[in-house]
Amino acid sequence: MLVKELLAHGFEALSLPDGEREIVGVYIGDLLSWVMGRAQMDNAWITIMTNVNTIAVASLADTSCVILAEGVEMEDDLVETARTKEVNILRSSLPIYETAVQLSKLLP
Amino acid sequence: MSEPLIFHFDVDGENFTSAGQASTQVKKNLRQLGLSPDIIRRVSIAMYEGEINMVIHANGGTADVIVNEQYIEIILADKGPGIPNVEQAMQEGFSTATDSIRSLGFGAGMGLPNMKRYTDSLEIDTMVGVGTTITMYVYL
Ligand SMILES: Nc1ncnc2c1ncn2[C@@H]1O[C@H](COP(=O)(O)OP(=O)(O)OP(=O)(O)O)[C@@H](O)[C@H]1O
Ligand SMILES: [Mg+2]
């Protein structure tokens, strides 16, 4: 499934510079080193951590997108940073578990 | 690529929010060299972990990345407090990070283990009160 296809399922795009990217699997976590150690390339990464380091980790760990769950806010200048670093950021108003369940139904 | 390429960075110990700049730049450079996404990812994560550690634990330092035909060498050097017990520091979960650092998402005690996981070789040269130099190799 492509990142941009999530928009048809209630996910909101905050930053979508590379919507054509394929999502392969999902990782959930807020501890950044944990995410860097365990997430796989092209995973969708579900988190509620919304500082500048989130963007750096998504970029360096090469996840396909960050999915902010629970409807958490991300500051405008950080969203801008995500765009310039070509990091896809989506948002779901659902809690983390429900967000993951929804992805599990959508992904092959 | 006959001559090795060398990238040098000063890592600012004060500025937390810009931490990761050196790693981000290296990722760009390696992309331009046409290296595989897997190699780029391993180098990027290992270097970012080391860069963040220098900011959090050592008040900054320097980062050098040397790209050869056979390997990429990453050298992170600081004049911070040093690591009193390296074996303990290498264990998953060991961290001396403060609460304010933890609130930023760091402090899982996974940085050094990740540096080991994603590189082919990791050497830690450290002395309490003098500083720490970490040298990592990723073979191409
Ligand atoms: N450059 C350094 N100078 C001094 N101490 C360091 C340095 N790097 C690591 N340490 C020490 O080693 C410990 C473990 O480092 P590690 O990177 O594994 O975990 P962390 O930085 O505490 O948390 P995380 O990396 O998961 O965010 C640190 O908490 C710190 O005490
Ligand atoms: Mg660390």
Side-chain angles (χ1 to χ4, degrees), chain A residues 32-34, chain B residues 49-50 52-54 56-58 78 80-84 88-91 94-97 101 105-113 115 126 132 134:
Chain A
L32 300 175
S33 291
W34 205 277
Chain B
E49 292 283 17
I52 291 289
N53 277 357
M54 290 200 298
I56 295 177
H57 306 296
D78 68 61
I83 304 173
Q88 187 183 39
M90 287 302 302
Q91 281 169 14
F94 177 82
S95 174
T96 59
I101 296 296
F106 297 109
M110 293 285 281
L112 285 169
M115 290 156 78
T126 184
T132 302
I134 294 184

PDB file of all heavy atoms in Angstrom, chain A residues 32-34, chain B residues 49-50 52-54 56-58 78 80-84 88-91 94-97 101 105-113 115 126 132 134, ligand 1:
ATOM      1  N   LEU A  32      13.194   6.871  20.985  1.00  0.00           N
ATOM      2  CA  LEU A  32      13.777   7.011  19.644  1.00  0.00           C
ATOM      3  C   LEU A  32      14.837   5.958  19.333  1.00  0.00           C
ATOM      4  O   LEU A  32      14.878   5.415  18.233  1.00  0.00           O
ATOM      5  CB  LEU A  32      14.327   8.426  19.482  1.00  0.00           C
ATOM      6  CG  LEU A  32      13.239   9.508  19.636  1.00  0.00           C
ATOM      7  CD1 LEU A  32      13.853  10.892  19.595  1.00  0.00           C
ATOM      8  CD2 LEU A  32      12.165   9.376  18.566  1.00  0.00           C
ATOM      9  N   SER A  33      15.697   5.653  20.301  1.00  0.00           N
ATOM     10  CA  SER A  33      16.732   4.645  20.029  1.00  0.00           C
ATOM     11  C   SER A  33      16.116   3.258  19.883  1.00  0.00           C
ATOM     12  O   SER A  33      16.631   2.414  19.148  1.00  0.00           O
ATOM     13  CB  SER A  33      17.769   4.614  21.149  1.00  0.00           C
ATOM     14  OG  SER A  33      18.519   5.794  21.136  1.00  0.00           O
ATOM     15  N   TRP A  34      15.028   3.050  20.588  1.00  0.00           N
ATOM     16  CA  TRP A  34      14.315   1.790  20.456  1.00  0.00           C
ATOM     17  C   TRP A  34      13.794   1.661  19.025  1.00  0.00           C
ATOM     18  O   TRP A  34      13.936   0.625  18.369  1.00  0.00           O
ATOM     19  CB  TRP A  34      13.172   1.730  21.474  1.00  0.00           C
ATOM     20  CG  TRP A  34      12.804   0.327  21.810  1.00  0.00           C
ATOM     21  CD1 TRP A  34      11.963  -0.470  21.086  1.00  0.00           C
ATOM     22  CD2 TRP A  34      13.293  -0.448  22.894  1.00  0.00           C
ATOM     23  NE1 TRP A  34      11.884  -1.710  21.670  1.00  0.00           N
ATOM     24  CE2 TRP A  34      12.684  -1.723  22.787  1.00  0.00           C
ATOM     25  CE3 TRP A  34      14.169  -0.201  23.952  1.00  0.00           C
ATOM     26  CZ2 TRP A  34      12.940  -2.738  23.689  1.00  0.00           C
ATOM     27  CZ3 TRP A  34      14.408  -1.219  24.848  1.00  0.00           C
ATOM     28  CH2 TRP A  34      13.808  -2.475  24.723  1.00  0.00           C
TER      29      TRP A  34
ATOM     30  N   GLU B  49      23.184   8.141  16.475  1.00  0.00           N
ATOM     31  CA  GLU B  49      23.242   7.733  17.880  1.00  0.00           C
ATOM     32  C   GLU B  49      24.490   8.311  18.554  1.00  0.00           C
ATOM     33  O   GLU B  49      24.437   8.810  19.676  1.00  0.00           O
ATOM     34  CB  GLU B  49      23.247   6.204  18.004  1.00  0.00           C
ATOM     35  CG  GLU B  49      21.955   5.520  17.600  1.00  0.00           C
ATOM     36  CD  GLU B  49      20.856   5.631  18.659  1.00  0.00           C
ATOM     37  OE1 GLU B  49      20.960   6.481  19.551  1.00  0.00           O
ATOM     38  OE2 GLU B  49      19.889   4.848  18.568  1.00  0.00           O
ATOM     39  N   GLY B  50      25.610   8.240  17.833  1.00  0.00           N
ATOM     40  CA  GLY B  50      26.858   8.771  18.390  1.00  0.00           C
ATOM     41  C   GLY B  50      26.834  10.284  18.507  1.00  0.00           C
ATOM     42  O   GLY B  50      27.337  10.861  19.482  1.00  0.00           O
ATOM     43  N   ILE B  52      24.110  12.194  18.853  1.00  0.00           N
ATOM     44  CA  ILE B  52      23.210  12.548  19.953  1.00  0.00           C
ATOM     45  C   ILE B  52      23.908  12.308  21.299  1.00  0.00           C
ATOM     46  O   ILE B  52      23.811  13.126  22.211  1.00  0.00           O
ATOM     47  CB  ILE B  52      21.901  11.713  19.871  1.00  0.00           C
ATOM     48  CG1 ILE B  52      21.077  12.153  18.663  1.00  0.00           C
ATOM     49  CG2 ILE B  52      21.092  11.831  21.157  1.00  0.00           C
ATOM     50  CD1 ILE B  52      20.433  13.509  18.791  1.00  0.00           C
ATOM     51  N   ASN B  53      24.637  11.206  21.411  1.00  0.00           N
ATOM     52  CA  ASN B  53      25.347  10.941  22.659  1.00  0.00           C
ATOM     53  C   ASN B  53      26.341  12.050  22.982  1.00  0.00           C
ATOM     54  O   ASN B  53      26.477  12.456  24.136  1.00  0.00           O
ATOM     55  CB  ASN B  53      26.080   9.599  22.583  1.00  0.00           C
ATOM     56  CG  ASN B  53      25.172   8.429  22.905  1.00  0.00           C
ATOM     57  OD1 ASN B  53      24.006   8.614  23.243  1.00  0.00           O
ATOM     58  ND2 ASN B  53      25.712   7.224  22.786  1.00  0.00           N
ATOM     59  N   MET B  54      27.035  12.549  21.958  1.00  0.00           N
ATOM     60  CA  MET B  54      27.995  13.635  22.214  1.00  0.00           C
ATOM     61  C   MET B  54      27.263  14.880  22.693  1.00  0.00           C
ATOM     62  O   MET B  54      27.766  15.604  23.554  1.00  0.00           O
ATOM     63  CB  MET B  54      28.811  13.952  20.955  1.00  0.00           C
ATOM     64  CG  MET B  54      29.794  12.845  20.601  1.00  0.00           C
ATOM     65  SD  MET B  54      31.129  13.390  19.518  1.00  0.00           S
ATOM     66  CE  MET B  54      30.262  13.890  18.059  1.00  0.00           C
ATOM     67  N   ILE B  56      24.181  14.956  24.254  1.00  0.00           N
ATOM     68  CA  ILE B  56      23.539  14.721  25.551  1.00  0.00           C
ATOM     69  C   ILE B  56      24.555  14.535  26.675  1.00  0.00           C
ATOM     70  O   ILE B  56      24.412  15.079  27.758  1.00  0.00           O
ATOM     71  CB  ILE B  56      22.669  13.435  25.519  1.00  0.00           C
ATOM     72  CG1 ILE B  56      21.498  13.596  24.552  1.00  0.00           C
ATOM     73  CG2 ILE B  56      22.145  13.111  26.905  1.00  0.00           C
ATOM     74  CD1 ILE B  56      20.667  12.321  24.449  1.00  0.00           C
ATOM     75  N   HIS B  57      25.581  13.725  26.390  1.00  0.00           N
ATOM     76  CA  HIS B  57      26.455  13.273  27.478  1.00  0.00           C
ATOM     77  C   HIS B  57      27.816  13.971  27.519  1.00  0.00           C
ATOM     78  O   HIS B  57      28.541  13.816  28.491  1.00  0.00           O
ATOM     79  CB  HIS B  57      26.698  11.760  27.360  1.00  0.00           C
ATOM     80  CG  HIS B  57      25.447  10.932  27.292  1.00  0.00           C
ATOM     81  ND1 HIS B  57      24.539  10.864  28.333  1.00  0.00           N
ATOM     82  CD2 HIS B  57      24.931  10.147  26.308  1.00  0.00           C
ATOM     83  CE1 HIS B  57      23.525  10.062  27.985  1.00  0.00           C
ATOM     84  NE2 HIS B  57      23.752   9.627  26.762  1.00  0.00           N
ATOM     85  N   ALA B  58      28.212  14.682  26.460  1.00  0.00           N
ATOM     86  CA  ALA B  58      29.600  15.136  26.392  1.00  0.00           C
ATOM     87  C   ALA B  58      29.762  16.587  25.941  1.00  0.00           C
ATOM     88  O   ALA B  58      30.881  17.025  25.651  1.00  0.00           O
ATOM     89  CB  ALA B  58      30.393  14.213  25.471  1.00  0.00           C
ATOM     90  N   ASP B  78      35.009  13.355  21.504  1.00  0.00           N
ATOM     91  CA  ASP B  78      34.589  14.436  22.402  1.00  0.00           C
ATOM     92  C   ASP B  78      35.532  14.573  23.586  1.00  0.00           C
ATOM     93  O   ASP B  78      36.330  13.682  23.870  1.00  0.00           O
ATOM     94  CB  ASP B  78      33.139  14.206  22.881  1.00  0.00           C
ATOM     95  CG  ASP B  78      32.984  13.003  23.803  1.00  0.00           C
ATOM     96  OD1 ASP B  78      33.601  12.997  24.887  1.00  0.00           O
ATOM     97  OD2 ASP B  78      32.241  12.062  23.445  1.00  0.00           O
ATOM     98  N   GLY B  80      34.300  15.137  26.638  1.00  0.00           N
ATOM     99  CA  GLY B  80      33.319  15.068  27.714  1.00  0.00           C
ATOM    100  C   GLY B  80      33.834  14.307  28.921  1.00  0.00           C
ATOM    101  O   GLY B  80      35.040  14.118  29.069  1.00  0.00           O
ATOM    102  N   PRO B  81      32.916  13.824  29.764  1.00  0.00           N
ATOM    103  CA  PRO B  81      33.293  13.207  31.044  1.00  0.00           C
ATOM    104  C   PRO B  81      33.901  11.809  30.911  1.00  0.00           C
ATOM    105  O   PRO B  81      34.450  11.290  31.885  1.00  0.00           O
ATOM    106  CB  PRO B  81      31.962  13.130  31.795  1.00  0.00           C
ATOM    107  CG  PRO B  81      30.933  13.075  30.720  1.00  0.00           C
ATOM    108  CD  PRO B  81      31.467  13.915  29.594  1.00  0.00           C
ATOM    109  N   GLY B  82      33.794  11.192  29.706  1.00  0.00           N
ATOM    110  CA  GLY B  82      34.271   9.821  29.565  1.00  0.00           C
ATOM    111  C   GLY B  82      33.234   8.828  30.085  1.00  0.00           C
ATOM    112  O   GLY B  82      32.263   9.214  30.732  1.00  0.00           O
ATOM    113  N   ILE B  83      33.458   7.558  29.776  1.00  0.00           N
ATOM    114  CA  ILE B  83      32.524   6.508  30.203  1.00  0.00           C
ATOM    115  C   ILE B  83      33.241   5.619  31.215  1.00  0.00           C
ATOM    116  O   ILE B  83      34.185   4.919  30.867  1.00  0.00           O
ATOM    117  CB  ILE B  83      32.053   5.669  28.992  1.00  0.00           C
ATOM    118  CG1 ILE B  83      31.420   6.583  27.930  1.00  0.00           C
ATOM    119  CG2 ILE B  83      31.061   4.584  29.440  1.00  0.00           C
ATOM    120  CD1 ILE B  83      31.070   5.876  26.624  1.00  0.00           C
ATOM    121  N   PRO B  84      32.817   5.653  32.500  1.00  0.00           N
ATOM    122  CA  PRO B  84      33.540   4.910  33.540  1.00  0.00           C
ATOM    123  C   PRO B  84      33.497   3.398  33.346  1.00  0.00           C
ATOM    124  O   PRO B  84      34.472   2.716  33.642  1.00  0.00           O
ATOM    125  CB  PRO B  84      32.813   5.301  34.834  1.00  0.00           C
ATOM    126  CG  PRO B  84      31.783   6.301  34.479  1.00  0.00           C
ATOM    127  CD  PRO B  84      31.690   6.440  33.001  1.00  0.00           C
ATOM    128  N   GLN B  88      29.105  -1.846  30.971  1.00  0.00           N
ATOM    129  CA  GLN B  88      27.773  -1.488  31.460  1.00  0.00           C
ATOM    130  C   GLN B  88      27.054  -0.572  30.463  1.00  0.00           C
ATOM    131  O   GLN B  88      25.878  -0.750  30.164  1.00  0.00           O
ATOM    132  CB  GLN B  88      27.952  -0.770  32.805  1.00  0.00           C
ATOM    133  CG  GLN B  88      26.679  -0.472  33.542  1.00  0.00           C
ATOM    134  CD  GLN B  88      26.963   0.297  34.830  1.00  0.00           C
ATOM    135  OE1 GLN B  88      27.828   1.164  34.857  1.00  0.00           O
ATOM    136  NE2 GLN B  88      26.243  -0.030  35.885  1.00  0.00           N
ATOM    137  N   ALA B  89      27.796   0.403  29.933  1.00  0.00           N
ATOM    138  CA  ALA B  89      27.200   1.357  28.986  1.00  0.00           C
ATOM    139  C   ALA B  89      26.713   0.666  27.722  1.00  0.00           C
ATOM    140  O   ALA B  89      25.748   1.110  27.088  1.00  0.00           O
ATOM    141  CB  ALA B  89      28.215   2.448  28.626  1.00  0.00           C
ATOM    142  N   MET B  90      27.375  -0.430  27.354  1.00  0.00           N
ATOM    143  CA  MET B  90      26.998  -1.165  26.139  1.00  0.00           C
ATOM    144  C   MET B  90      25.733  -2.004  26.317  1.00  0.00           C
ATOM    145  O   MET B  90      25.170  -2.494  25.344  1.00  0.00           O
ATOM    146  CB  MET B  90      28.139  -2.105  25.708  1.00  0.00           C
ATOM    147  CG  MET B  90      29.342  -1.431  25.098  1.00  0.00           C
ATOM    148  SD  MET B  90      28.972  -0.453  23.636  1.00  0.00           S
ATOM    149  CE  MET B  90      28.246  -1.674  22.557  1.00  0.00           C
ATOM    150  N   GLN B  91      25.301  -2.188  27.556  1.00  0.00           N
ATOM    151  CA  GLN B  91      24.121  -3.027  27.788  1.00  0.00           C
ATOM    152  C   GLN B  91      22.839  -2.306  27.382  1.00  0.00           C
ATOM    153  O   GLN B  91      22.674  -1.122  27.667  1.00  0.00           O
ATOM    154  CB  GLN B  91      24.027  -3.415  29.271  1.00  0.00           C
ATOM    155  CG  GLN B  91      24.972  -4.535  29.626  1.00  0.00           C
ATOM    156  CD  GLN B  91      25.069  -4.746  31.120  1.00  0.00           C
ATOM    157  OE1 GLN B  91      24.247  -4.245  31.888  1.00  0.00           O
ATOM    158  NE2 GLN B  91      26.084  -5.485  31.542  1.00  0.00           N
ATOM    159  N   PHE B  94      20.840   0.460  29.744  1.00  0.00           N
ATOM    160  CA  PHE B  94      21.603   1.283  30.680  1.00  0.00           C
ATOM    161  C   PHE B  94      21.671   2.712  30.175  1.00  0.00           C
ATOM    162  O   PHE B  94      22.092   2.979  29.050  1.00  0.00           O
ATOM    163  CB  PHE B  94      23.026   0.760  30.889  1.00  0.00           C
ATOM    164  CG  PHE B  94      23.826   1.664  31.814  1.00  0.00           C
ATOM    165  CD1 PHE B  94      23.685   1.556  33.193  1.00  0.00           C
ATOM    166  CD2 PHE B  94      24.654   2.663  31.295  1.00  0.00           C
ATOM    167  CE1 PHE B  94      24.379   2.413  34.047  1.00  0.00           C
ATOM    168  CE2 PHE B  94      25.350   3.522  32.144  1.00  0.00           C
ATOM    169  CZ  PHE B  94      25.216   3.395  33.516  1.00  0.00           C
ATOM    170  N   SER B  95      21.284   3.668  31.037  1.00  0.00           N
ATOM    171  CA  SER B  95      21.301   5.076  30.649  1.00  0.00           C
ATOM    172  C   SER B  95      21.456   5.965  31.860  1.00  0.00           C
ATOM    173  O   SER B  95      20.909   5.691  32.922  1.00  0.00           O
ATOM    174  CB  SER B  95      19.993   5.436  29.938  1.00  0.00           C
ATOM    175  OG  SER B  95      19.957   6.818  29.682  1.00  0.00           O
ATOM    176  N   THR B  96      22.214   7.039  31.698  1.00  0.00           N
ATOM    177  CA  THR B  96      22.309   8.041  32.757  1.00  0.00           C
ATOM    178  C   THR B  96      21.562   9.319  32.352  1.00  0.00           C
ATOM    179  O   THR B  96      21.730  10.358  32.970  1.00  0.00           O
ATOM    180  CB  THR B  96      23.791   8.391  33.050  1.00  0.00           C
ATOM    181  OG1 THR B  96      24.371   8.890  31.838  1.00  0.00           O
ATOM    182  CG2 THR B  96      24.570   7.187  33.538  1.00  0.00           C
ATOM    183  N   ALA B  97      20.739   9.222  31.299  1.00  0.00           N
ATOM    184  CA  ALA B  97      20.032  10.411  30.806  1.00  0.00           C
ATOM    185  C   ALA B  97      19.078  10.974  31.859  1.00  0.00           C
ATOM    186  O   ALA B  97      18.459  10.223  32.606  1.00  0.00           O
ATOM    187  CB  ALA B  97      19.263  10.064  29.533  1.00  0.00           C
ATOM    188  N   ILE B 101      15.911  14.936  29.261  1.00  0.00           N
ATOM    189  CA  ILE B 101      16.369  14.259  28.044  1.00  0.00           C
ATOM    190  C   ILE B 101      15.388  13.150  27.657  1.00  0.00           C
ATOM    191  O   ILE B 101      15.039  12.973  26.496  1.00  0.00           O
ATOM    192  CB  ILE B 101      17.779  13.639  28.285  1.00  0.00           C
ATOM    193  CG1 ILE B 101      18.814  14.731  28.568  1.00  0.00           C
ATOM    194  CG2 ILE B 101      18.195  12.762  27.122  1.00  0.00           C
ATOM    195  CD1 ILE B 101      19.075  15.676  27.449  1.00  0.00           C
ATOM    196  N   GLY B 105      12.489  11.778  24.212  1.00  0.00           N
ATOM    197  CA  GLY B 105      12.454  10.482  23.520  1.00  0.00           C
ATOM    198  C   GLY B 105      13.775   9.739  23.570  1.00  0.00           C
ATOM    199  O   GLY B 105      13.900   8.640  23.046  1.00  0.00           O
ATOM    200  N   PHE B 106      14.773  10.343  24.226  1.00  0.00           N
ATOM    201  CA  PHE B 106      16.056   9.644  24.372  1.00  0.00           C
ATOM    202  C   PHE B 106      16.136   9.005  25.757  1.00  0.00           C
ATOM    203  O   PHE B 106      15.254   9.187  26.573  1.00  0.00           O
ATOM    204  CB  PHE B 106      17.220  10.626  24.172  1.00  0.00           C
ATOM    205  CG  PHE B 106      17.242  11.214  22.799  1.00  0.00           C
ATOM    206  CD1 PHE B 106      16.909  12.537  22.582  1.00  0.00           C
ATOM    207  CD2 PHE B 106      17.561  10.419  21.706  1.00  0.00           C
ATOM    208  CE1 PHE B 106      16.903  13.070  21.298  1.00  0.00           C
ATOM    209  CE2 PHE B 106      17.557  10.942  20.425  1.00  0.00           C
ATOM    210  CZ  PHE B 106      17.234  12.273  20.219  1.00  0.00           C
ATOM    211  N   GLY B 107      17.227   8.265  25.982  1.00  0.00           N
ATOM    212  CA  GLY B 107      17.421   7.681  27.298  1.00  0.00           C
ATOM    213  C   GLY B 107      16.916   6.251  27.439  1.00  0.00           C
ATOM    214  O   GLY B 107      16.742   5.760  28.545  1.00  0.00           O
ATOM    215  N   ALA B 108      16.676   5.579  26.308  1.00  0.00           N
ATOM    216  CA  ALA B 108      16.267   4.176  26.373  1.00  0.00           C
ATOM    217  C   ALA B 108      17.463   3.276  26.671  1.00  0.00           C
ATOM    218  O   ALA B 108      17.302   2.100  26.975  1.00  0.00           O
ATOM    219  CB  ALA B 108      15.616   3.751  25.064  1.00  0.00           C
ATOM    220  N   GLY B 109      18.658   3.839  26.563  1.00  0.00           N
ATOM    221  CA  GLY B 109      19.845   3.017  26.757  1.00  0.00           C
ATOM    222  C   GLY B 109      20.070   2.066  25.599  1.00  0.00           C
ATOM    223  O   GLY B 109      20.569   0.948  25.760  1.00  0.00           O
ATOM    224  N   MET B 110      19.706   2.513  24.417  1.00  0.00           N
ATOM    225  CA  MET B 110      19.810   1.667  23.226  1.00  0.00           C
ATOM    226  C   MET B 110      20.774   2.225  22.193  1.00  0.00           C
ATOM    227  O   MET B 110      21.001   1.605  21.151  1.00  0.00           O
ATOM    228  CB  MET B 110      18.433   1.514  22.573  1.00  0.00           C
ATOM    229  CG  MET B 110      17.437   0.746  23.399  1.00  0.00           C
ATOM    230  SD  MET B 110      17.789  -1.012  23.365  1.00  0.00           S
ATOM    231  CE  MET B 110      17.092  -1.408  21.767  1.00  0.00           C
ATOM    232  N   GLY B 111      21.336   3.401  22.451  1.00  0.00           N
ATOM    233  CA  GLY B 111      22.173   4.056  21.451  1.00  0.00           C
ATOM    234  C   GLY B 111      23.446   3.279  21.136  1.00  0.00           C
ATOM    235  O   GLY B 111      23.716   2.938  19.976  1.00  0.00           O
ATOM    236  N   LEU B 112      24.222   2.987  22.165  1.00  0.00           N
ATOM    237  CA  LEU B 112      25.467   2.237  21.938  1.00  0.00           C
ATOM    238  C   LEU B 112      25.180   0.843  21.383  1.00  0.00           C
ATOM    239  O   LEU B 112      25.837   0.414  20.423  1.00  0.00           O
ATOM    240  CB  LEU B 112      26.294   2.179  23.229  1.00  0.00           C
ATOM    241  CG  LEU B 112      27.024   3.486  23.614  1.00  0.00           C
ATOM    242  CD1 LEU B 112      27.593   3.397  25.030  1.00  0.00           C
ATOM    243  CD2 LEU B 112      28.138   3.804  22.614  1.00  0.00           C
ATOM    244  N   PRO B 113      24.183   0.103  21.936  1.00  0.00           N
ATOM    245  CA  PRO B 113      23.849  -1.187  21.322  1.00  0.00           C
ATOM    246  C   PRO B 113      23.465  -1.054  19.842  1.00  0.00           C
ATOM    247  O   PRO B 113      23.844  -1.898  19.028  1.00  0.00           O
ATOM    248  CB  PRO B 113      22.660  -1.683  22.167  1.00  0.00           C
ATOM    249  CG  PRO B 113      22.860  -1.045  23.502  1.00  0.00           C
ATOM    250  CD  PRO B 113      23.463   0.306  23.209  1.00  0.00           C
ATOM    251  N   MET B 115      24.606   1.231  17.793  1.00  0.00           N
ATOM    252  CA  MET B 115      25.843   1.501  17.051  1.00  0.00           C
ATOM    253  C   MET B 115      26.576   0.198  16.771  1.00  0.00           C
ATOM    254  O   MET B 115      27.152   0.000  15.702  1.00  0.00           O
ATOM    255  CB  MET B 115      26.713   2.489  17.841  1.00  0.00           C
ATOM    256  CG  MET B 115      26.113   3.903  17.857  1.00  0.00           C
ATOM    257  SD  MET B 115      26.638   4.912  19.258  1.00  0.00           S
ATOM    258  CE  MET B 115      28.256   5.406  18.742  1.00  0.00           C
ATOM    259  N   THR B 126      38.031   5.521  25.778  1.00  0.00           N
ATOM    260  CA  THR B 126      37.489   6.533  26.683  1.00  0.00           C
ATOM    261  C   THR B 126      38.296   6.611  27.973  1.00  0.00           C
ATOM    262  O   THR B 126      38.868   5.616  28.424  1.00  0.00           O
ATOM    263  CB  THR B 126      36.002   6.219  26.999  1.00  0.00           C
ATOM    264  OG1 THR B 126      35.455   7.269  27.812  1.00  0.00           O
ATOM    265  CG2 THR B 126      35.838   4.887  27.726  1.00  0.00           C
ATOM    266  N   THR B 132      35.986  10.841  25.095  1.00  0.00           N
ATOM    267  CA  THR B 132      35.635   9.570  24.460  1.00  0.00           C
ATOM    268  C   THR B 132      35.819   9.680  22.954  1.00  0.00           C
ATOM    269  O   THR B 132      35.425  10.679  22.358  1.00  0.00           O
ATOM    270  CB  THR B 132      34.154   9.221  24.760  1.00  0.00           C
ATOM    271  OG1 THR B 132      33.979   9.149  26.178  1.00  0.00           O
ATOM    272  CG2 THR B 132      33.753   7.895  24.126  1.00  0.00           C
ATOM    273  N   ILE B 134      34.940   7.301  19.618  1.00  0.00           N
ATOM    274  CA  ILE B 134      34.304   6.085  19.122  1.00  0.00           C
ATOM    275  C   ILE B 134      34.591   5.953  17.630  1.00  0.00           C
ATOM    276  O   ILE B 134      34.409   6.901  16.865  1.00  0.00           O
ATOM    277  CB  ILE B 134      32.791   6.117  19.392  1.00  0.00           C
ATOM    278  CG1 ILE B 134      32.563   6.086  20.906  1.00  0.00           C
ATOM    279  CG2 ILE B 134      32.085   4.948  18.696  1.00  0.00           C
ATOM    280  CD1 ILE B 134      31.129   6.010  21.337  1.00  0.00           C
TER     281      ILE B 134
HETATM  282  N1  LIG C   1      30.096  10.305  24.412  1.00  0.00           N
HETATM  283  C1  LIG C   1      29.791   9.935  25.664  1.00  0.00           C
HETATM  284  N2  LIG C   1      30.386  10.557  26.728  1.00  0.00           N
HETATM  285  C2  LIG C   1      30.081  10.180  27.997  1.00  0.00           C
HETATM  286  N3  LIG C   1      29.200   9.218  28.303  1.00  0.00           N
HETATM  287  C3  LIG C   1      28.573   8.576  27.299  1.00  0.00           C
HETATM  288  C4  LIG C   1      28.833   8.895  25.947  1.00  0.00           C
HETATM  289  N4  LIG C   1      28.085   8.074  25.158  1.00  0.00           N
HETATM  290  C5  LIG C   1      27.381   7.288  26.002  1.00  0.00           C
HETATM  291  N5  LIG C   1      27.683   7.575  27.296  1.00  0.00           N
HETATM  292  C6  LIG C   1      27.151   6.882  28.498  1.00  0.00           C
HETATM  293  O1  LIG C   1      26.687   5.602  28.125  1.00  0.00           O
HETATM  294  C7  LIG C   1      25.294   5.460  28.468  1.00  0.00           C
HETATM  295  C8  LIG C   1      24.609   4.584  27.435  1.00  0.00           C
HETATM  296  O2  LIG C   1      24.590   5.247  26.160  1.00  0.00           O
HETATM  297  P1  LIG C   1      23.445   4.887  25.109  1.00  0.00           P
HETATM  298  O3  LIG C   1      23.613   5.716  23.916  1.00  0.00           O
HETATM  299  O4  LIG C   1      23.433   3.397  24.920  1.00  0.00           O
HETATM  300  O5  LIG C   1      22.099   5.258  25.900  1.00  0.00           O
HETATM  301  P2  LIG C   1      21.486   6.716  26.165  1.00  0.00           P
HETATM  302  O6  LIG C   1      22.181   7.744  25.362  1.00  0.00           O
HETATM  303  O7  LIG C   1      21.478   6.930  27.644  1.00  0.00           O
HETATM  304  O8  LIG C   1      19.982   6.521  25.671  1.00  0.00           O
HETATM  305  P3  LIG C   1      19.509   6.359  24.126  1.00  0.00           P
HETATM  306  O9  LIG C   1      20.729   6.294  23.276  1.00  0.00           O
HETATM  307  O10 LIG C   1      18.709   5.108  24.081  1.00  0.00           O
HETATM  308  O11 LIG C   1      18.676   7.557  23.838  1.00  0.00           O
HETATM  309  C9  LIG C   1      24.771   6.876  28.541  1.00  0.00           C
HETATM  310  O12 LIG C   1      23.614   7.000  29.328  1.00  0.00           O
HETATM  311  C10 LIG C   1      25.976   7.603  29.139  1.00  0.00           C
HETATM  312  O13 LIG C   1      26.042   7.407  30.532  1.00  0.00           O
END
